[in-house]
Amino acid sequence: MPTLTIEPTGDTVEVAEGQNLLDACLRAGIYLPHACGHGLCGTCKVTVLEGEVDHGGASSFALMDFERDEGATLACVATIEGDVTIEADVDDDPDAQRIAVADYVGTVTRREMLTPDILGVWLSVPTGVAFQAGQYVNLTIDGIEGTRAFSIANSPAETGIVELHIRLVPGGKATKHLHEELKVGDEMRFAGPFGHFFVRRSANKPLIFLAGGSGLSSPKSMVLELIEQGYDQQITLFHGARRPHDLHFADLFRRIADENPLFRYVPVVSQAEAQDEWGGETGYVHEAAERHFGGRFAGHQAYLCGPPPMIEAGIGSLMKGRLFEKDIFVEKFATAADAEKSVRSPFFKKL
């Protein structure tokens, strides 16, 4: 079996026939930056130092002809032809855990409508699934082409369980199938964990979480783990939704806030109606955060998870309040269609 060597770390990985470089690395616990997974966005670009690769389905826009001539390739679609050495932007963050991606089969033990359009699904996995709070899995859904990414919402301490929050996407075949057809007792195949969205605890700074809708999944996992492990800095969670009944797990976070003086929970409603009798924060998440912190965010770390417009607005507020790239972390999922039309932020190389 041919071998892939990754510089500058010197790690070596065996690569199966037809396996792309990214998959081989992830399944060996080596994280390479990536986004779309379809050869369209260019995030996973690496340099071939020795050996030959097949560029696969790399688009001519994400990997231009002159880049190919200079030895560049896209790890998510490239395969190797014999032993190969590449140079990659391997993030050696001290807080990142090396967890190899693997394939699993889980059994649905519980399903519950958390809001009118968000389904909670709990999968039992007897072998257990190791993951870092903030990571996600790729579900394989029978009869649906490709996979779908969903963040893990439970604490990593809950071994043997994977909790997912699935929003019904208008016109989405996969989420419609899961909402309407998935039953307790069904088996679900998935791979994981994926992603590089995790708390940089070693910085020891107060933390701000901005979550929109079903984007609460990763922050929920992160907050639960931080509380369990006794994190000794202030943690503030802002969760935005349209109406109060869309604020899933509000009771859980209110209880945590009552029991932990270092945790603050700020629910935000953007479209409250008279019958809701809502007396809490209104508007958008980034607006509530500006009011809560007086527009000053310096000295914190921020983690954003939600729809792209929420993330962009949140980044704008945080930067206006003197918090910059090194302390702002976001999680986005990109489909092939998203990648084709996406525009990368001029400020953030990790967006």
Side-chain angles (χ1 to χ4, degrees):
M1 191 176 292
T3 298
L4 174 69
T5 302
I6 303 99
E7 298 293 353
T9 62
D11 288 301
T12 58
V13 176
E14 289 189 341
V15 184
E17 183 178 355
Q19 185 179 28
N20 66 61
L21 308 190
L22 177 62
D23 187 68
C25 289
L26 294 178
R27 289 179 180 273
I30 300 168
Y31 178 83
L32 298 184
H34 61 281
C36 75
H38 305 287
L40 298 170
C41 72
T43 304
C44 65
K45 194 173 294 178
V46 298
T47 302
V48 179
L49 301 178
E50 295 180 13
E52 298 293 330
V53 302
D54 182 332
H55 297 296
S59 82
S60 57
F61 175 77
L63 187 67
M64 297 183 180
D65 289 342
F66 79 89
E67 293 179 301
R68 300 174 193 233
D69 293 340
E70 292 174 353
T73 195
L74 302 184
C76 71
V77 291
T79 54
I80 65 176
E81 301 172 352
D83 292 346
V84 166
T85 299
I86 62 171
E87 184 176 43
D89 183 17
V90 179
D91 187 358
D92 195 22
D93 192 295
D95 293 300
Q97 297 177 19
R98 271 202 172 192
I99 304 174
V101 168
D103 298 309
Y104 298 93
V105 177
T107 302
V108 179
T109 56
R110 175 185 168 195
R111 53 161 289 151
E112 176 186 338
M113 291 305 299
L114 304 175
T115 76
D117 66 350
I118 298 176
L119 170 68
V121 174
W122 284 259
L123 301 174
S124 172
V125 186
T127 59
V129 179
F131 67 94
Q132 189 163 10
Q135 291 189 298
Y136 66 92
V137 298
N138 281 335
L139 281 185
T140 297
I141 304 165
D142 290 341
I144 305 293
E145 185 178 357
T147 59
R148 299 297 185 273
F150 297 100
S151 294
I152 306 173
N154 55 292
S155 164
E158 293 185 87
T159 57
I161 292 292
V162 172
E163 175 187 337
L164 307 175
H165 301 166
I166 301 168
R167 183 178 70 86
L168 181 62
V169 177
K173 293 181 180 179
T175 59
K176 183 176 187 291
H177 174 86
L178 293 172
H179 273 244
E180 296 180 358
E181 305 295 336
L182 191 65
K183 307 181 300 297
V184 170
D186 286 351
E187 290 189 340
M188 295 293 298
R189 291 175 292 131
F190 65 93
F194 295 97
H196 211 54
F197 188 55
F198 57 88
V199 177
R200 276 68 176 176
R201 295 184 54 142
S202 60
N204 199 37
K205 293 182 178 182
L207 307 176
I208 300 170
F209 292 93
L210 302 183
S214 60
L216 181 68
S217 303
S218 287
K220 176 177 178 285
S221 179
M222 293 165 150
V223 166
L224 290 176
E225 183 178 53
L226 289 165
I227 295 297
E228 291 164 358
Q229 296 181 353
Y231 191 70
D232 62 1
Q233 296 286 332
Q234 187 73 54
I235 304 168
T236 306
L237 169 63
F238 295 89
H239 182 208
R242 291 184 298 272
R243 296 179 61 190
H245 62 226
D246 297 311
L247 292 165
H248 51 306
F249 292 101
D251 289 344
L252 169 66
F253 290 118
R254 289 188 180 107
R255 185 173 73 248
I256 294 174
D258 288 341
E259 297 171 353
N260 296 270
L262 289 177
F263 176 70
R264 292 178 292 204
Y265 170 59
V266 185
V268 188
V269 172
S270 62
Q271 299 175 25
E273 298 185 7
Q275 65 265 33
D276 293 330
E277 298 182 349
W278 177 251
E281 288 280 354
T282 58
Y284 295 103
V285 166
H286 67 283
E287 297 169 336
E290 287 184 5
R291 290 191 293 268
H292 192 85
F293 285 95
R296 295 183 293 273
F297 302 104
H300 292 76
Q301 274 190 347
Y303 296 83
L304 294 77
C305 196
M310 187 221 83
I311 289 177
E312 294 301 328
I315 290 171
S317 291
L318 293 168
M319 295 185 72
K320 185 172 66 175
R322 310 302 294 173
L323 193 67
F324 301 114
E325 179 180 1
K326 70 181 181 67
D327 286 315
I328 300 176
F329 304 91
V330 306
E331 178 68 315
K332 282 185 178 179
F333 298 134
T335 65
D338 292 333
E340 287 181 307
K341 62 186 179 183
S342 66
V343 177
R344 293 169 66 82
S345 167
F347 299 110
F348 285 78
K349 63 184 179 182
K350 56 179 175 268
L351 285 189

